Amino acid sequence: MADQIGYSQKVMEHFMNPHNVGVIENPDGYGKVGNPVCGDIMEIFIKVKDDVIEDIRFRTFGCGSAIATSSMVTDMARGKTLEEALKITRDDVATELEGLPPKKMHCSNLAADALHAAIEDYREKQKKE
Amino acid sequence: MEERIYLDHAAAMPVHPGVARFCRQFPDGFAGNPSTIYREGLQAQEAVATARERVAALVGTSAPDSIIFTSGATESNNIAIRGAALRNRKFGKRVVASATEHISVLNPAKDIQKGGFALTLAPVDRFGTIDLDALAAAVTPGTVITSIHHANNEIGTIQPIREVSAIVHEQGGLLHVDATDAAGRIPIDVERDGIDLLTLSGNQLGGPDGVGALYIRPGVRVQPVLVGGGQERGLRPGTENVFAIACMGEAARLAGEEMAGESKRLAAIRDRLIAGITGIEEAYLTGHPEERLPHHASFRFSRIEGESIQLAMDMLGIAVATGSACTSRTLEASHVLLAIGLAHAEAHGSMVATLGRRNSMDEVPRIVGAVGETVKRLRAITPL
């Protein structure tokens, strides 16, 4: 990116009109990452049917890239199998958003981690049943 | 398309139109070097001398030679802290600064610890006012320099400089005051207030970037940070930035002339902004409710993050600042907001509005409306 601080058009679109915001009551899987000290907290809720992510929602406290990556990762994971969704990396999310400023790549790019945590949670629950 | 509203004058100020008019008198700058004795050199010398008198007058000194010009507030702060501490090290090797100083004061103060100096950070209360009892305990007989800003850029709190001065001088050390944000907004009088070194920024007076000044009380010894050709009494060597210095001088003159009226006008807008924005749910004023800069309104909002606020406001056509960690180079929460006792999560949700000449009372409803809309939008997404 030419501009080291500013966000891409794509990031701003997702920031201003984030997709898949909200909560799923009784989710099949739930993942939460981040903490108040670093300034980003994300939670992702998933509904799974036949190993496919049928519905996905998120809520995020954080900066522009935290919100945009949450929106993007939920778009990317929707309709994918759990195996496919687990392969989505932080870099994939950043690429889909047409890049993130370098300093945001680590601190505010936790959305893929939240997705993976939600899938892990789903699998843990399956084992117990 | 609605007009942009600019509310980040603490970060950068547009050049005052009167200063711009003055600058345009010299479309080619100044031909001569002030160190020369032919006509062009003397003209440049005179322009610098006039600027020096104007800056001196703004801060209440009748000794223009007590002003040296620098590249800006960061350099002035470095010369003040390093230069005074090193030159007067025989007096003692302790430096005291308030916990809410600007990073360009804190970093040189921390850096000279490598040279054997000890640094004490003096605490502030929840409004950001220096705790005078704690300061009195921190300033020991060997405290060579104490640095307390006149007012804070993030929360707008004005410090009781005269009381600070009495405490510092009782122990015989020097007082440095960073007046970057206060100069031109509230009266400053280095004589009355007992200030030994005072930092000024050219841009914050309505002048150009890349120029600042440092007042050094006659008799106070300071050693240079840069060494070279001996300009500015040897404290700021290098050929003077004559054009910028002349423009800063005009900015200082205009600031002095217009301060009373403009500060009163801005304070009225500020108060309406504060009343409107603190009416939003879980929105709080940061800094002192009364002892604050006339152009400064600062807030925090629970459960949302400052960079998001800044971005969303930008989309609504309004430029504001935030102390959010996400916007800092270090990605650390604002040391100022932590120093006034906020938790990390609280410190992330800050927004600062600093007013300037182009702002008007008519803008208040649109600003308050935009903040309300932004807060509502972000609260709808937050998990907190």
Side-chain angles (χ1 to χ4, degrees):
Chain A
M1 264 177 82
D3 189 349
Q4 298 252 310
I5 298 170
Y7 287 125
S8 71
Q9 194 65 37
K10 198 91 185 161
V11 170
M12 289 311 295
E13 280 167 29
H14 279 266
F15 169 72
M16 288 308 284
N17 293 297
H19 307 167
N20 311 307
V21 173
V23 173
I24 296 173
E25 298 299 332
N26 306 312
D28 295 327
Y30 170 73
K32 186 174 179 180
V33 296
N35 64 67
V37 174
C38 80
D40 287 320
I41 301 173
M42 300 174 188
E43 56 181 11
I44 284 183
F45 306 80
I46 54 172
K47 201 88 189 161
V48 179
K49 194 177 178 189
D50 301 332
D51 235 31
V52 169
I53 296 176
E54 195 179 40
D55 193 11
I56 181 164
R57 301 280 157 181
F58 83 89
R59 290 195 304 187
T60 292
F61 163 86
C63 63
S65 64
I67 290 169
T69 53
S70 306
S71 170
M72 178 54 84
V73 86
T74 52
D75 269 359
M76 290 167 77
R78 180 182 289 278
K80 286 212 166 62
T81 66
L82 297 179
E83 273 314 308
E84 288 166 344
L86 275 173
K87 286 186 190 138
I88 299 171
T89 65
R90 292 179 177 196
D91 282 351
D92 295 337
V93 178
T95 304
E96 284 296 314
L97 284 168
E98 294 166 4
L100 286 174
K103 72 175 185 180
K104 299 287 186 181
M105 283 300 284
H106 297 289
C107 74
S108 302
N109 190 5
L110 304 174
D113 301 13
L115 170 66
H116 298 169
I119 296 171
E120 292 304 325
D121 178 56
Y122 168 75
R123 290 191 163 166
E124 285 299 312
K125 280 180 186 161
Q126 292 300 104
K127 273 185 211 164
K128 283 176 196 157
E129 277 170 17
Chain B
M1 179 88 185
E2 273 185 300
E3 292 259 331
R4 294 279 301 176
I5 298 179
Y6 183 72
L7 298 176
D8 198 9
H9 290 83
M13 294 256 290
V15 172
H16 184 299
V19 175
R21 261 195 305 281
F22 173 87
C23 297
R24 278 197 289 271
Q25 292 177 73
F26 314 101
D28 303 318
F30 290 82
N33 183 318
S35 298
T36 56
I37 57 162
Y38 41 76
R39 186 181 303 170
E40 292 82 354
L42 295 178
Q43 282 168 349
Q45 216 177 87
E46 197 189 314
V48 173
T50 303
R52 214 184 293 284
E53 282 165 18
R54 290 171 170 181
V55 172
L58 180 69
V59 299
T61 174
S62 52
D65 286 349
S66 62
I67 302 290
I68 64 163
F69 288 105
T70 65
S71 65
T74 292
E75 188 182 5
S76 296
N77 286 338
N78 269 267
I79 297 172
I81 308 273
R82 284 175 201 274
L86 291 171
R87 181 64 180 79
N88 301 287
R89 63 202 303 155
K90 279 188 187 150
F91 180 84
K93 293 185 83 174
R94 179 165 300 279
V95 175
V96 173
S98 87
T100 54
E101 292 304 309
H102 191 262
I103 200 76
S104 62
V105 164
L106 289 179
N107 276 349
K110 285 176 185 167
D111 195 54
I112 58 170
Q113 288 177 289
K114 292 176 200 151
F117 286 86
L119 171 63
T120 307
L121 292 182
V124 298
D125 66 16
R126 69 195 174 98
F127 297 121
T129 308
I130 187 91
D131 177 335
L132 291 172
D133 292 334
L135 182 70
V139 179
T140 54
T143 299
V144 58
I145 186 164
T146 300
S147 186
I148 307 291
H149 50 17
H150 214 304
N152 185 271
N153 64 318
E154 275 184 60
I155 56 174
T157 301
I158 298 170
Q159 301 296 353
I161 291 298
R162 249 184 288 185
E163 286 83 345
V164 166
S165 171
I167 289 169
V168 171
H169 290 135
E170 198 178 312
Q171 301 298 340
L174 299 170
L175 172 63
H176 168 244
V177 173
D178 176 1
T180 300
D181 295 279
R185 274 113 188 194
I186 56 174
I188 293 176
D189 188 322
V190 291
E191 300 297 338
R192 181 199 66 198
D193 298 337
I195 296 167
D196 300 308
L197 300 130
L198 182 100
T199 290
L200 297 169
S201 151
N203 180 243
Q204 285 297 306
L205 294 173
D209 290 317
V211 61
L214 178 66
Y215 160 81
I216 305 171
R217 174 181 297 284
V220 168
R221 291 175 172 185
V222 178
Q223 75 179 51
V225 171
L226 284 175
V227 289
Q231 291 88 344
E232 298 298 288
R233 294 162 49 202
L235 289 170
R236 210 303 169 146
T239 300
E240 295 85 346
N241 186 358
V242 180
F243 181 71
I245 289 170
C247 296
M248 179 178 176
E250 179 68 359
R253 187 185 71 79
L254 285 169
E257 216 173 82
E258 296 175 357
M259 179 163 53
E262 183 64 358
S263 289
K264 196 175 163 201
R265 187 183 77 86
L266 294 181
I269 303 174
R270 172 200 68 186
D271 290 343
R272 284 272 283 279
L273 263 186
I274 291 174
I277 292 175
T278 54
I280 296 167
E281 208 177 325
E282 292 182 89
Y284 309 94
L285 183 73
T286 56
H288 203 285
E290 284 113 34
E291 293 299 319
R292 67 181 304 130
L293 291 171
H295 71 306
H296 198 291
S298 55
F299 309 91
R300 71 170 184 84
F301 305 92
S302 301
R303 302 185 289 117
I304 58 176
E305 193 277 332
E307 191 209 78
S308 300
I309 298 171
Q310 189 178 47
L311 280 176
M313 291 292 286
D314 184 40
M315 291 290 108
L316 296 171
I318 302 173
V320 295
T322 174
S324 156
C326 285
T327 58
S328 71
R329 285 179 202 281
T330 57
L331 300 174
E332 283 167 10
S334 151
H335 68 284
V336 174
L337 299 177
L338 296 179
I340 61 171
L342 296 186
H344 273 92
E346 295 170 328
H348 288 308
S350 70
M351 186 192 93
V352 184
T354 42
L355 303 162
R357 296 180 51 80
R358 295 180 195 169
N359 295 120
S360 72
M361 195 62 102
D362 297 344
E363 295 172 335
V364 171
R366 191 176 143 209
I367 299 166
V368 174
V371 175
E373 188 184 327
T374 295
V375 169
K376 195 173 156 194
R377 174 211 298 272
L378 294 172
R379 290 238 173 96
I381 311 179
T382 188
L384 299 179

